Amino acid sequence: MRGWWREITGLVLPVHCAGCGLPRSVLCEECRRELCGRGTRRVWPDPVPAGLPPVRAAAAYADRVRSVLLAHKERGALELVEPLGAALAGAVRAVGREAGQWGTRGGSAPLLLVPVPSSRRAVAGRGHDAGRRLALAAGRALRSAGRPARVAAVLRQRRTVADQSSLDAGQRWVNVSGALGVAGGVKRLWRVGGPVVLVDDLMTTGSSLVEAARAVAASGGQVLGAAVVAAPERTFVPGPDPGGTPGGGATFPGETAGKHLNGGTAR
């Protein structure tokens, strides 16, 4: 019935694939494969900021994937949340397996998915909270596959941060450092809810993931790693064995990194 109704509405209100523009398809099969059909990879920004947890990405942030993410986030194409959530769920599964939380035997322990927040102004401007929506979709996908996971949107922006489009990597880190806190009552959540996987749509410099990891750890939470839908292609480089950090956890030098804004928070 759903497919029939989609066909009828497509005749009245033409739909085009968010990735490539193919008519009468919200997301064509080829774009879906680009998004979540090629397996996850460890990603490393260059330079690697101190405190960055292991990060897994489902896809490279380029071409079709970039168009799909922007359509959902900036243009409110909410019908894309399920395939994007499936891609994010794949990255979360990889983090869980890598950390030994979700082994191939003996069942699965629960995980908490903690989305990196956007500013209230960004959420109001877009008309929806894209990060939280993706986290909830990923949680649904994981539970439907028998992986216990729940979303805990407990991170809060404690202060405003500057527009980062003109900032280099070091300036971005200074800009977001100390900007996040946690909601009240999280200590019990950390005790009973399981370890944390930070989730976001995109990683570029890694600064917001470092700040999110700091805020969770400072409040007593255990961060296993981070999962994102996409990362720039330049970050898909050979990395160390799981648990290591290339460059010994180098801090940001003053060089320009890829630019992506999410409510004023560098990704």
Side-chain angles (χ1 to χ4, degrees):
M1 177 66 74
R2 181 179 297 178
W4 173 82
W5 177 248
R6 191 170 291 162
E7 284 292 314
I8 294 298
T9 55
L11 293 174
V12 179
L13 299 172
V15 174
H16 299 278
C17 173
C20 66
L22 185 72
R24 298 182 64 187
S25 175
V26 171
L27 189 66
C28 73
E29 289 304 314
E30 187 170 350
C31 289
R32 191 179 293 268
R33 281 194 298 272
E34 286 290 323
L35 179 64
C36 53
R38 300 189 181 278
T40 67
R41 293 273 302 279
R42 284 286 290 271
V43 289
W44 300 103
D46 183 17
V48 180
L52 182 70
V55 185
R56 281 271 178 176
Y61 186 66
D63 303 327
R64 297 169 187 248
V65 171
R66 180 179 184 276
S67 295
V68 172
L69 277 171
L70 291 177
H72 171 259
K73 185 174 185 176
E74 305 296 347
R75 298 195 295 275
L78 302 186
E79 64 272 18
L80 296 170
V81 71
E82 294 306 327
L84 286 168
L88 184 58
V92 172
R93 279 195 296 270
V95 172
R97 287 194 301 267
E98 197 169 81
Q101 189 77 1
W102 284 349
T104 56
R105 298 179 181 178
S108 300
L111 290 179
L112 287 174
L113 309 187
V114 175
V116 177
S118 298
S119 69
R120 292 181 181 178
R121 183 173 63 179
V123 171
R126 294 177 185 131
H128 72 121
D129 189 334
R132 186 172 184 272
R133 191 179 293 274
L134 287 181
L136 290 169
R140 290 193 296 271
L142 290 165
R143 289 191 297 273
S144 69
R147 301 291 193 180
R150 59 183 288 202
V151 174
V154 296
L155 290 175
R156 304 286 187 269
Q157 288 199 335
R158 300 193 302 189
R159 62 172 175 81
T160 59
V161 293
D163 186 324
Q164 312 227 77
S165 60
S166 61
L167 304 183
D168 65 28
Q171 291 168 332
R172 289 182 180 203
W173 168 238
V174 171
N175 189 39
V176 301
S177 181
L180 294 180
V182 296
V186 297
K187 292 188 182 298
R188 182 178 182 278
L189 177 65
W190 299 150
R191 288 197 304 270
V192 303
V196 168
V197 176
L198 302 169
V199 294
D200 206 353
D201 60 343
L202 178 67
M203 182 204 73
T204 52
T205 68
S207 57
S208 65
L209 290 175
V210 170
E211 173 58 16
R214 182 207 61 78
V216 170
S219 63
Q222 176 193 357
V223 178
L224 290 185
V228 296
V229 175
E233 206 151 2
R234 60 183 166 76
T235 66
F236 283 73
V237 295
D241 291 334
T245 301
T251 55
F252 280 130
E255 65 179 63
T256 301
K259 298 174 181 177
H260 177 74
L261 302 181
N262 185 340
T265 302
R267 294 333 217 192

